[in-house]
Amino acid sequence: MSHQLRLQLDLQWFAGEKTESATTKKRQDARKKGQVAKSMDLPAASILLFSFLAFVMFGSYMKEKIINIFRNVYENQLGMDITAGNVQVLFMDLGKQGLMIMAPIFILVVLIAFIANYAQIGFMFIGDPLMMKFDKINPISGFKRIFSLRTVMDFLKSTLKMLIIGYAVYTTLMGEKARLLGLGHTPLESTFSFIASVTLSLGIKIGAILIVLAIFDYIYQKYEYEKSLKMSKQDIKDEYKKSEGDPLIKGKIRAKQRQMAMQRMMQEVPKADVIITNPTHFAVALKYDSINMQAPTVIAKGADYMALKIKEVAKQNNIMTMENKPLARAIFAQVEIGEAIPAELFQAVAEVLAYVYKIKGKTK
């Protein structure tokens, strides 16, 4: 007994072990809650790198605009009367020119932030993460988050970034040590130019380093995300049962099946030899092939609206329609689509088909 009990417990443990990849439904549910694989460092690193690259690309444009601003102030606006109106006009003009100077940077930063986020998670707009949740202000939950494995990993990640960035800054400054020590003997313009070039160089290096680290962070976040979504075999079975038991899903499946069946049936109507009608409530399409069929076969039937549709399709395809109320009712009630006419209806159906063939000038 102990061996059997141990075997049962082992089977239950394996059934509950989360070893299976997440289903499409679970991924969709997680995405609706805002749970996606995303590195917050990647957009920030991309913005930093491309901001410094933008300074390199648009530096001459920005320099020219700034010089023009100062030239205009010193040459044209220092001698004007200080009034509320003049000061307001001056500041509005300076604000517009400042926006023109920073516009390329702003546009590039917004574009890069959008691309960096879209590349990770695509387009997603949800309100669930913005809703107030009391467990977020729960002190116990807060302590659990502080001392969790994710917090430790974030701390190690931040420490690694600081060490790498510190090393990059140290090596860059040591490489420029001779020029740094000689700044006291260089003109002010040369000093500013040198400091700007070193700053841009450091910004680009640090941005590139952070992007590389962010890519590794995204890979790690993707791994953790997939791990958190894993399901047990029992979870998959429960989800399937729940989906199958959902009346809404069942209703949609049945509606789709009815639609497909109706389309298939309507495609068969043009192949019929005759349409027997009630004339308004029922319509039955019959086909007879003496080589392949032992008896005439019902290939389509319908009541009310479906009967009207069958007659419309028959009219469009020049299929003969005959009114025979008792026969139409009998066939509709007794014979399903794809079934042959029963023996008790042979005589009546044979007379109808004989008349149809005579009208068409056929002999069968």
Side-chain angles (χ1 to χ4, degrees), residues 59-277:
S60 58
Y61 162 80
M62 299 172 73
K63 176 184 175 182
E64 182 182 348
K65 288 290 184 181
I66 292 172
I67 291 173
N68 288 337
I69 289 174
F70 280 98
R71 182 182 291 119
N72 184 47
V73 170
Y74 286 124
E75 292 180 356
N76 303 321
Q77 296 172 333
L78 281 181
M80 70 179 183
D81 296 332
I82 301 178
T83 63
N86 288 341
V87 171
Q88 184 178 4
V89 171
L90 174 63
F91 276 98
M92 288 183 65
D93 183 56
L94 291 176
K96 289 179 182 178
Q97 295 187 58
L99 286 176
M100 289 296 294
I101 292 172
M102 299 304 297
I105 307 293
F106 289 154
I107 294 171
L108 184 63
V109 165
V110 172
L111 185 62
I112 292 301
F114 176 79
I115 293 173
N117 281 283
Y118 184 81
Q120 294 185 84
I121 61 174
F123 182 77
M124 184 176 70
F125 181 78
I126 51 175
D128 187 76
L130 302 177
M131 295 178 64
M132 181 64 180
K133 295 180 180 178
F134 291 101
D135 60 337
K136 291 184 178 180
I137 58 176
N138 187 345
I140 298 176
S141 301
F143 278 116
K144 288 181 179 179
R145 286 194 294 269
I146 291 173
F147 297 102
S148 64
L149 179 61
R150 178 177 288 274
T151 305
V152 174
M153 292 299 298
D154 290 340
F155 173 74
L156 294 175
K157 183 175 63 176
S158 300
T159 304
L160 178 63
K161 283 195 291 188
M162 292 301 297
L163 290 173
I164 295 175
I165 292 171
Y167 178 76
V169 172
Y170 174 78
T171 53
T172 301
L173 294 179
M174 286 297 102
E176 301 290 344
K177 181 179 179 181
R179 293 186 65 183
L180 283 170
L181 294 175
L183 287 179
H185 306 287
T186 57
L188 186 60
E189 184 178 355
S190 300
T191 301
F192 280 131
S193 177
F194 171 73
I195 292 173
S197 65
V198 172
T199 303
L200 287 175
S201 176
L202 278 175
I204 293 172
K205 284 183 181 179
I206 292 171
I209 291 170
L210 289 177
I211 282 185
V212 173
L213 294 176
I215 291 172
F216 282 107
D217 179 59
Y218 174 72
I219 294 172
Y220 171 73
Q221 296 294 341
K222 186 76 173 176
Y223 166 76
E224 284 291 322
Y225 175 73
E226 293 294 334
K227 183 179 177 182
S228 67
L229 287 182
K230 279 190 176 295
M231 305 171 68
S232 65
K233 289 182 171 61
Q234 187 61 42
D235 292 335
I236 295 175
K237 290 179 181 178
D238 293 341
E239 181 186 285
Y240 178 75
K241 289 179 181 178
K242 185 178 179 181
S243 299
E244 284 295 306
D246 190 338
L248 182 61
I249 294 176
K250 282 188 173 182
K252 288 182 178 179
I253 292 173
R254 284 196 294 267
K256 188 67 176 177
Q257 289 173 342
R258 286 195 298 268
Q259 183 182 5
M260 293 174 65
M262 184 181 72
Q263 290 175 349
R264 287 195 299 269
M265 185 180 73
M266 287 302 177
Q267 291 172 356
E268 294 295 317
V269 173
K271 303 175 184 178
D273 291 317
V274 64
I275 308 296
I276 302 175
T277 66

